[in-house]
Amino acid sequence: FRHDFINTSKIYSPVDFPLENLSLNQFRHPSCSDKVWQYDLAGVVCHSGTVRFGHYYTYALNRGDNEWYEFNDSWVRKVDADEVLSLSTAAYVLVYRKQERIILPIR
């Protein structure tokens, strides 16, 4: 969304994003000692509609079965990764998780 002193408008520009291996190395401060700067997509919050009337829904990666799911109000459905990649105009918030070998799944 774009806000100024008088108006609020929705930005419809598409955003391309990777499912895996988003590198943030170029943004790392030279004194940063962290050796991991690769991230994998964990979720996408989407918005459909206008500024005044809209709907939010989300897609999330289940690390237990490594499958993507859409959560939309009272239902959940499994989706393939290509559908997640096609969200370039609906994506509102992208959630990435740092690649860490020491982070183990809960189950």
Side-chain angles (χ1 to χ4, degrees):
F1 295 101
R2 177 177 291 131
H3 304 281
D4 61 28
F5 293 106
I6 299 171
N7 294 320
T8 299
S9 60
K10 184 174 176 179
I11 301 169
Y12 291 94
S13 301
V15 176
D16 294 323
F17 52 88
L19 289 178
E20 298 175 325
N21 300 315
L22 173 67
S23 176
L24 298 180
N25 186 38
Q26 65 181 347
F27 304 106
R28 201 167 52 108
H29 191 274
S31 66
C32 179
S33 62
D34 196 343
K35 303 281 190 255
V36 180
W37 53 79
Q38 296 286 115
Y39 292 80
D40 295 330
L41 189 66
V44 182
V45 178
C46 298
H47 180 266
S48 62
T50 66
V51 172
R52 290 181 166 250
F53 302 100
H55 178 68
Y56 291 93
Y57 53 101
T58 192
Y59 292 77
L61 179 64
N62 179 335
R63 292 184 51 89
D65 64 5
N66 209 35
E67 296 285 345
W68 283 95
Y69 292 86
E70 178 186 5
F71 298 85
N72 195 333
D73 290 338
S74 61
W75 54 268
V76 176
R77 71 181 179 101
K78 189 188 308 189
V79 298
D80 59 28
D82 289 336
E83 183 170 338
V84 176
L85 285 173
S86 74
L87 298 171
S88 66
T89 57
Y92 181 67
V93 176
L94 301 172
V95 179
Y96 279 87
R97 183 172 192 239
K98 184 185 271 189
Q99 292 179 352
E100 288 275 2
R101 296 186 193 279
I102 60 170
I103 298 175
L104 300 175
I106 294 173
R107 296 182 193 169

